[in-house]
Amino acid sequence: MKIENIMLTPEKFAQVTPDEFLKVALDTMSESKLGIVCVVENKKLKGIITDGDIRRKLLNIQKPFSALFSDYVIDHAIKSPTVCSHQDSITYALELMEKKQIWDLPVLNSKNELVGLLHLHAVIKHLISKSDS
């Protein structure tokens, strides 16, 4: 089965533009309840930021947390995240997620546009429902 069959569509996960403040990105991430926000401009993925990235930033940056809120999200984003194609198989995606120890994979189409997000819980849910059949 292809990733495109179980990925979250763009309206179901957090997205912000590169010029948003980090505070807005965190609020948007919290609303989606996924722990990730994609930084997108003109449908192109510019980066991602996860709740784990924020935690690591707090531990490594000698800057008050409140001061980070007014930084642009792109300044703290992973600008070359691990991604997959909408045509990749779920097996490939799971192997990649395991290798990289990540829970989310932005999904790009052939034009390198962000078309979805593969979340580990969706994969597990799909595999469980498939085994119950």
Side-chain angles (χ1 to χ4, degrees), residues 80-99:
S80 295
T82 301
V83 299
C84 61
S85 164
H86 69 292
Q87 292 295 314
D88 288 335
S89 71
I90 294 170
T91 303
Y92 169 78
L94 276 174
E95 289 170 355
L96 186 58
M97 292 167 113
E98 180 181 9
K99 179 181 175 185

Side-chain angles (χ1 to χ4, degrees), residues 14-17 20-32 35-39 49 54 69 71-74:
Q15 298 178 56
V16 294
T17 58
E20 291 283 2
F21 292 122
L22 185 59
K23 169 74 166 100
V24 172
L26 292 174
D27 288 340
T28 305
M29 183 190 306
S30 292
E31 289 171 14
S32 76
I36 185 171
V37 63
C38 293
V39 183
I49 195 156
I54 299 297
F69 280 167
D71 289 350
Y72 292 114
V73 68
I74 197 66

Side-chain angles (χ1 to χ4, degrees), residues 38-108:
C38 293
V39 183
V40 181
E41 186 172 54
N42 299 321
K43 297 185 182 182
K44 302 289 185 183
L45 182 66
K46 299 297 182 180
I48 64 166
I49 195 156
T50 68
D51 48 10
D53 297 329
I54 299 297
R55 184 183 66 252
R56 287 182 285 279
K57 288 274 182 199
L58 289 173
L59 293 172
N60 293 324
I61 294 178
Q62 299 301 316
K63 187 175 185 180
F65 185 63
S66 59
L68 290 173
F69 280 167
S70 59
D71 289 350
Y72 292 114
V73 68
I74 197 66
D75 294 337
H76 297 286
I78 297 170
K79 295 179 185 86
S80 295
T82 301
V83 299
C84 61
S85 164
H86 69 292
Q87 292 295 314
D88 288 335
S89 71
I90 294 170
T91 303
Y92 169 78
L94 276 174
E95 289 170 355
L96 186 58
M97 292 167 113
E98 180 181 9
K99 179 181 175 185
K100 298 288 188 167
Q101 297 184 344
I102 56 177
W103 290 42
D104 298 285
L105 275 174
V107 181
L108 306 181

